[in-house]
Structure formats: C-alpha cells, structure tokens
Amino acid sequence: MLNQRAEPSLDHLFQALADPTRRRMVERLSQGPASVSELAKPFSMSLPAVVQHLQVLEQSGLVRSEKVGRVRTCSIDTTALTQAEQWLNDQRLAWEQRLDRLGDFLAASESE
C-alpha cells in the first residue's frame, strides 16, 4: 500500500477544502443554495476573487452552480463529500486495526 495515491478527485477535494475561505463557503452552502453575491457578503474580497474560490470548489466537485438571468446560484454536491467521508472512514478503520494489533502485541509481550 505504500506510494498508493488517492483518486485525483479526492486530491482536488482536499485541496479545495484546505482553504479556510472555501470551507466557510461550503459551510454556508450546507444550509442551502446561495447566490454568488450572497456568498461574497461575509468576505472582504473582490467579487472576482470569490468567483475564483467558487471555481476551485466546482472543479473539486463540491459545488454546482447554475445561472438564471444575471444571478448565479451555487449549491453543494454531496457526492464529493460522500467520497471524502468514505476515504476518511477507510483510513480510520486501517489505523484502528493497526492499533488493535499493536495492543495485542504489547499485551502478549507483557505477559511473557
């Protein structure tokens, strides 16, 4: 399992979530869809900068957007989050198994 890489979509997902601004946007979108200008309100940055953050989120698969007239509305796509959750659960399970084996080894060596 050494040198095994995560799927590219997971790489993009975790890269997108590495930025605190994008995490806050995802948190906001978890409450429901929002327009770009609505997402931009809590941030002291230009609208083009907000759009760049949203593009990263869209490329990672976390966010979808649609434009109706002059308003672009963004919403969260739970498929990417489910994929990340599955990967994290797999990692947690692997570590728990390793720690269980270590515990068994230490208990056996202690009784010797």
Side-chain angles (χ1 to χ4, degrees), residues 37-55:
S37 57
E38 205 178 325
L39 287 170
K41 280 182 188 175
F43 303 106
S44 58
M45 63 177 70
S46 67
L47 199 55
V50 170
V51 169
Q52 285 181 331
H53 281 293
L54 287 170
Q55 286 173 339

Side-chain angles (χ1 to χ4, degrees), residues 61-98:
L62 276 168
V63 170
R64 287 178 294 188
S65 71
E66 68 176 318
K67 190 170 183 178
V68 177
R70 296 174 60 190
V71 178
R72 178 166 297 280
T73 303
C74 300
S75 60
I76 201 145
D77 187 345
T78 57
T79 305
L81 288 175
T82 302
Q83 210 176 11
E85 180 183 22
Q86 182 61 52
W87 184 85
L88 289 168
N89 284 335
D90 291 345
Q91 300 309 304
R92 181 188 48 78
L93 180 61
W95 276 103
E96 285 176 354
Q97 290 171 347
R98 289 177 187 140

Side-chain angles (χ1 to χ4, degrees), residues 101-112:
R101 286 194 306 265
L102 176 62
D104 293 343
F105 172 77
L106 292 174
S109 63
E110 192 175 272
S111 64
E112 289 178 2

